[in-house]
Amino acid sequence: MMQNVHLAPKADEEDLYSGYNDYNPTFDTEDLENDTAFQQAVRTSHGRRPPITAKIPGTSASRPLATGFGSKTALSSSMGRPMTGAIQDGVARPLTAVHAAGYTKAALRGSVFDPLGQARGPAPPLEMKNEDTPEEKIRQLEKKVNELVEESCIANSCGDLKLALEKAKDAGRKERVLVRQREQIASPENINLDLTYSVLFNLASQYSANEMYAEALNTYQVIVKNKMFSNGGRLKVNMANIYLKQRNYSKAIKFYRMALDQIPSVHKEMRIKIMQNIGVAFIKTGQYTDGISSFEHIMSTSPNLKAGFNLILCYFAIGDREQMKKAFQKLITVPLEIDYDDKYISPNDDPHTNLLIEAIKNDQLRQMERERKGMAEKYIMTAAKLIAPVIETSFAIGYDWCVEVVKASHYVELANDLEINKAITYLRQKDFYQAVETLKMFEKKDSRVKSAAATNLSFLYYLENEFAQATNYADLAVNSDRYNPSALTNKGNTVFANGDYEKAAEFYKEALRNDSSCTEALYNIGLTYKKLNRIDEALDCFLKLQAILRNSAQVLYQIASLYEIMEDPNQAIEWLMQLISVVPTDSYALSKLGELYDNEGDKSQAFQYYYESYRYFPSNIEVIEWLGAYYIDTQFCEKAIQYFERAALIQPTQVKWQLMVASCYRRSGNYQKSLDTYKEIHRKFPDNVECLRFLVRLCTDMGLKEVQEYVTKLKRVEKLKEIREQRVKSGRDGSARSRREGSGSGDSGGSAKGERLSAKLRALPGTNEPYESSGNKEIDASYVDPLGPQTERPKTAARKRMDEDEFADEELGEDLLPE
């Protein structure tokens, strides 16, 4: 055992630098050119032969290596295989792996270094894909179907519903072709069910968007009945929505319940929405008890504003006062899940914090929070106004209860709005004293509420023509809140009523600067400029307003009126045509159109619009007079009789209408009826000279004995008339002498009516003239009533609204109750 143990040499005999010159002769490259075995391996394939492994006998034996120094050292590898270049059985084994990557013998001859082989030129082109194979055709067709579905959805989002439907139909046709091709070359399991589902679903949605409900229902049925679509049953919600639009409420409820059964309980929000739709469908059918059960379930599991409001409506419909109170209390406790305004108030003067708060004060999240809060306040206010008159013995007590409940909630600021609505309710009941007293209670409140109450008080006093009080409260409203556009508008109205149009325009402009959407101020500026005869500026105001309020009859009329003032009848007619498209039954607008066409000489169009105006309002004297004169002018006196008879009914004290009826009978040749009419007129107006003259003529021509009687009466009436005129003239002469020099011009003005009367009398035909000779003179004859001036003609509501240039006064808090 000890024979293999070798003692270490002594320290003084050890050579520290020995061994540094010893190296493996295999790596000796200095004498490779004289190495015969190496040169043979390079020139031939001798060195590329498979290596001799340990399985061959004798390879594990160590053989001496021939080196350039002639030393022979036996080396062997760890695998028992001789090292490269070792001499085996006296034959030198060629060396291998002596060429580095990219190096060849040509490199030694001066060739360019090209390790990547770029000198060989570009690679050959790729082989073209064969598109004629069935698999490739199916792939391309599937891609086309997907593109059509996407284009259909994009067109729908852009509002082009017809294009969206066409794309959806095209996708459906190509998808069916795709399914048939797949069935021919592959098994049915390879059909793309997701693509089929998306195509059918998109087609049904586009049918529904285009209101083709029957086709949409059929398409949804295809999806729902196909068991291969795992979630197809949920589309019964869409089918129920279509039935709800068709007012088929029983089927809508049925499909909503079927969809509810197929939606798992984990989808809580979806189930709540379906339950809410079921409740709405029950309300539509009048089944309020079933609707109450649906909304009560929602309010107990996941309360929301719509469900709470609908629950109040159901209890209001059945008249349950106590449940209305409980439902209202549930409504105001619905969580909004929003941050209140305290978050946007900086706690310190840190500039970085202030900058951050300013950045988030009006971002999209903040806007969404404001919208949600505004919707909640709208529901609460509407519900309070709905139930306040019925939950107690009087609406005032009901409002007081609602105010107390609101004050105890997060909506404290709504209590003041409810008080203002209480005052507005008093106004609707014509109890102005209580309305004023209620509004006066806000004079000591905060500035916003004080301004709102003072604005309404100013409006009330303005309507009662108490302009002093209206001005006081308008000043109070403006001083309380200088940025309240309603207060500034009412202040401008009071200044306008006092005739200071320039100052009124300044208040209206300030209201617009505070709120550019204040259409009342813009309308009133237009009226002010119209009063100031600044027609172009007034037209600009009303054209801007027309861009905001497209279908406002007042604005359209004002634009037409301004064009008429500018003597542009074509533009006036065009705007009046737009007006009657908005209010086709407005008789004043129709008569105005007739007047414009008459001025242009188009009698047929004028007659059409005058006749339409007469149909909608048969008491307009101007229209009646024009229609009667039109029929006389066209030689249809019989048709004119009915219009003058109606005018006589409207103004029985005006003799001229009855004279026109008698004249029409005379012109149509019915002399006996004309004579009877003149006799009836003489009985009612015995001092009418025109009636007596025609009686004398008719009796003379007809050879009646009463002619002498009427002649005597005519002479007496004419004599009395001359005496009366002489007295009037002498009285005027006496008063003229007593006046100072230069006041004599009043004579001509005072006797103007008499001169007009004389002119009309002189225009009457003489007794010896034939009846036909007076035709043109009586068509538009305006007989002057000796008893007094003609009464003012009545106006339609539209004419009063537009012709008198009413102001658009504002009234805060005016919301209609739900039906």
Side-chain angles (χ1 to χ4, degrees):
M1 184 175 178
M2 296 295 294
Q3 61 183 358
N4 295 325
V5 177
H6 302 280
L7 296 177
K10 293 182 180 181
D12 56 344
E13 297 179 357
E14 182 178 1
D15 187 4
L16 296 178
Y17 302 99
S18 63
Y20 282 98
N21 293 326
D22 297 337
Y23 59 92
N24 194 332
T26 306
F27 302 109
D28 185 12
T29 59
E30 295 180 358
D31 203 24
L32 288 178
E33 292 183 359
N34 301 321
D35 192 337
T36 307
F38 177 75
Q39 293 297 330
Q40 183 184 2
V42 171
R43 289 192 298 268
T44 65
S45 62
H46 182 77
R48 291 191 291 274
R49 288 178 297 176
I52 301 173
T53 62
K55 293 181 180 181
I56 302 175
T59 58
S60 60
S62 58
R63 292 180 175 85
L65 282 174
T67 66
F69 295 95
S71 62
K72 298 180 186 275
T73 306
L75 296 176
S76 62
S77 68
S78 60
M79 298 295 295
R81 184 175 61 84
M83 296 292 292
T84 304
I87 301 174
Q88 300 180 12
D89 298 332
V91 180
R93 185 174 181 271
L95 293 174
T96 59
V98 294
H99 286 241
Y103 290 90
T104 61
K105 291 174 67 176
L108 300 175
R109 301 189 184 105
S111 62
V112 181
F113 177 71
D114 187 16
L116 300 179
Q118 296 180 357
R120 290 176 294 181
L126 298 176
E127 294 183 3
M128 297 297 294
K129 186 182 292 184
N130 189 4
E131 297 182 357
D132 294 334
T133 60
E135 292 80 3
E136 185 62 26
K137 289 182 178 179
I138 289 175
R139 193 177 298 110
Q140 292 296 328
L141 188 57
E142 186 172 328
K143 181 180 179 182
K144 181 63 177 176
V145 171
N146 281 315
E147 290 176 355
L148 286 171
V149 172
E150 290 178 4
E151 291 173 2
S152 174
C153 296
I154 293 172
N156 182 281
S157 63
C158 295
D160 195 347
L161 301 181
K162 290 186 177 180
L163 178 61
L165 180 59
E166 290 299 325
K167 295 287 185 182
K169 288 181 178 179
D170 196 8
R173 288 190 291 266
K174 291 187 181 303
E175 194 273 336
R176 287 192 292 271
V177 173
L178 176 63
V179 170
R180 286 195 295 269
Q181 290 185 5
R182 281 189 180 276
E183 289 176 349
Q184 292 175 1
I185 66 171
S187 58
E189 290 79 7
N190 294 329
I191 296 176
N192 191 345
L193 291 177
D194 292 336
L195 182 62
T196 304
Y197 182 87
S198 63
V199 169
L200 291 174
F201 179 64
N202 178 61
L203 181 60
S205 300
Q206 302 307 331
Y207 275 134
S208 179
N210 284 271
E211 298 183 359
M212 301 171 66
Y213 297 130
E215 292 84 352
L217 289 172
N218 293 335
T219 309
Y220 278 127
Q221 284 286 1
V222 172
I223 302 176
V224 170
K225 290 183 178 180
N226 194 336
K227 302 299 181 182
M228 300 179 71
F229 300 137
S230 57
N231 295 324
R234 300 186 184 184
L235 294 181
K236 291 181 180 178
V237 176
N238 295 19
M239 299 176 69
N241 290 338
I242 292 176
Y243 283 124
L244 194 66
K245 291 178 182 178
Q246 292 180 330
R247 305 194 179 197
N248 192 347
Y249 301 120
S250 58
K251 274 197 172 184
I253 294 171
K254 174 184 175 182
F255 275 85
Y256 278 134
R257 286 177 169 171
M258 292 168 65
L260 194 64
D261 294 339
Q262 297 194 9
I263 293 178
S265 58
V266 294
H267 299 292
K268 183 179 178 181
E269 186 176 353
M270 176 62 74
R271 293 178 63 87
I272 290 296
K273 289 182 178 179
I274 295 176
M275 286 289 294
Q276 189 161 318
N277 286 3
I278 292 174
V280 171
F282 278 129
I283 292 178
K284 294 287 188 179
T285 57
Q287 302 178 34
Y288 301 112
T289 305
D290 295 329
I292 287 171
S293 62
S294 298
F295 293 126
E296 286 284 6
H297 174 73
I298 295 173
M299 294 300 290
S300 61
T301 56
S302 179
N304 62 74
L305 293 170
K306 290 184 179 180
F309 182 76
N310 288 335
L311 182 62
I312 293 174
L313 290 181
C314 290
Y315 283 127
F316 177 81
I318 64 176
D320 194 334
R321 296 183 177 181
E322 293 300 324
Q323 291 298 331
M324 273 189 274
K325 291 183 178 180
K326 293 180 180 178
F328 185 76
Q329 291 173 337
K330 290 180 181 179
L331 177 64
I332 63 176
T333 57
V334 172
L336 292 182
E337 299 177 355
I338 62 173
D339 294 324
Y340 292 94
D341 294 335
D342 297 341
K343 174 183 176 182
Y344 302 97
I345 299 176
S346 178
N348 50 38
D349 295 333
D350 182 13
H352 180 72
T353 304
N354 294 337
L355 187 62
L356 180 62
I357 290 175
E358 286 296 327
I360 67 174
K361 188 175 289 186
N362 199 31
D363 60 355
Q364 292 184 353
L365 178 61
R366 177 60 175 160
Q367 292 175 7
M368 186 194 72
E369 290 177 349
R370 278 200 292 262
E371 289 177 2
R372 184 176 295 180
K373 185 177 180 182
M375 183 177 65
E377 292 177 353
K378 179 181 177 182
Y379 279 129
I380 292 171
M381 289 291 294
T382 307
K385 289 187 288 185
L386 177 67
I387 67 174
V390 297
I391 57 176
E392 298 292 348
T393 55
S394 68
F395 84 92
I397 301 175
Y399 263 108
D400 293 338
W401 181 88
C402 291
V403 168
E404 293 301 323
V405 173
V406 169
K407 284 182 178 179
S409 66
H410 295 294
Y411 308 97
V412 181
E413 63 275 8
L414 290 182
N416 295 323
D417 294 335
L418 281 174
E419 290 283 358
I420 292 178
N421 276 281
K422 179 181 176 181
I424 294 173
T425 307
Y426 277 124
L427 287 178
R428 288 175 178 160
Q429 296 182 353
K430 309 299 182 183
D431 192 347
F432 298 104
Y433 175 77
Q434 287 292 341
V436 171
E437 292 300 319
T438 305
L439 291 172
K440 285 182 177 180
M441 293 169 53
F442 293 96
E443 292 183 5
K444 297 181 180 179
K445 294 288 183 73
D446 63 321
S447 60
R448 186 187 69 85
V449 180
K450 184 193 297 183
S451 178
T455 300
N456 284 283
L457 284 169
S458 173
F459 165 72
L460 287 175
Y461 284 120
Y462 181 85
L463 291 182
E464 294 178 353
N465 293 329
E466 297 184 16
F467 298 123
Q469 288 285 355
T471 302
N472 293 335
Y473 280 103
D475 292 335
L476 178 62
V478 171
N479 294 333
S480 301
D481 186 2
R482 188 71 187 185
Y483 298 100
N484 184 355
S486 305
L488 292 167
T489 301
N490 280 354
K491 176 61 179 175
N493 291 347
T494 58
V495 175
F496 187 98
N498 293 326
D500 193 349
Y501 303 125
E502 293 286 353
K503 191 175 181 181
E506 293 299 323
F507 281 109
Y508 297 142
K509 289 177 182 178
E510 186 176 355
L512 277 177
R513 285 194 294 269
N514 294 336
D515 183 7
S516 59
S517 63
C518 184
T519 55
E520 294 82 2
L522 185 58
Y523 183 87
N524 289 351
I525 286 180
L527 294 181
T528 306
Y529 286 148
K530 187 177 179 182
K531 286 286 187 181
L532 294 171
N533 203 27
R534 294 156 64 176
I535 305 301
D536 291 335
E537 296 178 46
L539 185 60
D540 289 339
C541 292
F542 286 118
L543 288 175
K544 290 179 184 177
L545 195 57
Q546 197 271 338
I548 302 172
L549 307 174
R550 288 288 183 182
N551 295 324
S552 174
Q554 296 179 357
V555 176
L556 293 172
Y557 174 79
Q558 292 295 342
I559 295 174
S561 175
L562 289 170
Y563 276 118
E564 185 182 5
I565 294 173
M566 296 168 68
E567 297 181 357
D568 190 349
N570 294 328
Q571 284 290 336
I573 289 173
E574 182 179 343
W575 285 98
L576 284 174
M577 293 294 289
Q578 293 186 37
L579 174 60
I580 63 172
S581 68
V582 177
V583 279
T585 60
D586 193 296
S587 63
Y588 182 77
L590 292 167
S591 65
K592 195 67 180 177
L593 265 173
E595 179 184 342
L596 290 174
Y597 277 117
D598 187 25
N599 294 337
E600 291 294 304
D602 193 344
K603 295 289 184 182
S604 60
Q605 285 287 350
F607 171 74
Q608 176 185 347
Y609 287 110
Y610 270 122
Y611 183 75
E612 288 294 315
S613 175
Y614 174 78
R615 280 202 316 119
Y616 291 117
F617 184 59
S619 299
N620 192 331
I621 294 297
E622 290 182 357
V623 174
I624 292 173
E625 184 176 9
W626 191 93
L627 288 172
Y630 174 80
Y631 279 119
I632 292 176
D633 191 22
T634 55
Q635 305 299 322
F636 290 102
C637 301
E638 299 86 352
K639 292 186 178 181
I641 292 174
Q642 59 174 333
Y643 296 104
F644 293 126
E645 286 180 345
R646 179 172 289 276
L649 289 175
I650 296 171
Q651 295 181 346
T653 60
Q654 297 292 317
V655 67
K656 68 174 184 178
W657 307 122
Q658 301 179 41
L659 289 172
M660 293 299 293
V661 172
S663 176
C664 290
Y665 280 125
R666 178 173 57 81
R667 287 172 173 275
S668 60
N670 193 347
Y671 300 124
Q672 185 60 44
K673 186 69 175 176
S674 175
L675 179 63
D676 294 340
T677 305
Y678 278 123
K679 287 181 179 180
E680 183 66 23
I681 296 171
H682 177 65
R683 187 181 64 81
K684 293 179 181 179
F685 304 96
D687 294 333
N688 188 271
V689 177
E690 291 82 7
C691 179
L692 287 171
R693 285 185 177 180
F694 280 110
L695 280 173
V696 170
R697 290 179 60 185
L698 284 172
C699 292
T700 302
D701 294 342
M702 296 174 67
L704 299 178
K705 297 179 181 180
E706 300 101 308
V707 62
Q708 191 62 38
E709 177 186 354
Y710 291 124
V711 169
T712 305
K713 289 182 179 181
L714 177 60
K715 290 181 180 179
R716 180 175 57 84
V717 170
E718 288 179 343
K719 187 175 182 180
L720 289 174
K721 184 178 178 181
E722 291 177 1
I723 295 173
R724 194 160 50 240
E725 288 180 353
Q726 288 177 0
R727 288 178 180 175
V728 171
K729 186 176 181 181
S730 63
R732 286 173 181 165
D733 291 340
S735 61
R737 286 192 299 269
S738 64
R739 290 174 187 169
R740 291 181 180 180
E741 185 177 354
S743 62
S745 58
D747 252 352
S748 60
S751 60
K753 181 179 177 182
E755 291 178 359
R756 289 196 298 270
L757 178 61
S758 301
K760 293 294 182 183
L761 292 177
R762 288 194 299 270
L764 290 174
T767 54
N768 297 325
E769 295 179 4
Y771 299 128
E772 289 74 10
S773 64
S774 63
N776 294 331
K777 298 178 183 178
E778 289 186 5
I779 288 177
D780 56 350
S782 299
Y783 294 96
V784 178
D785 184 13
L787 300 180
Q790 180 181 347
T791 58
E792 184 182 0
R793 65 179 180 82
K795 298 180 182 179
T796 62
R799 175 175 181 178
K800 289 181 179 179
R801 180 181 67 249
M802 294 183 288
D803 198 29
E804 295 176 359
D805 293 341
E806 289 187 346
F807 288 97
D809 295 297
E810 293 192 3
E811 182 171 324
L812 298 181
E814 277 279 24
D815 286 331
L816 295 179
L817 294 177
E819 295 182 357

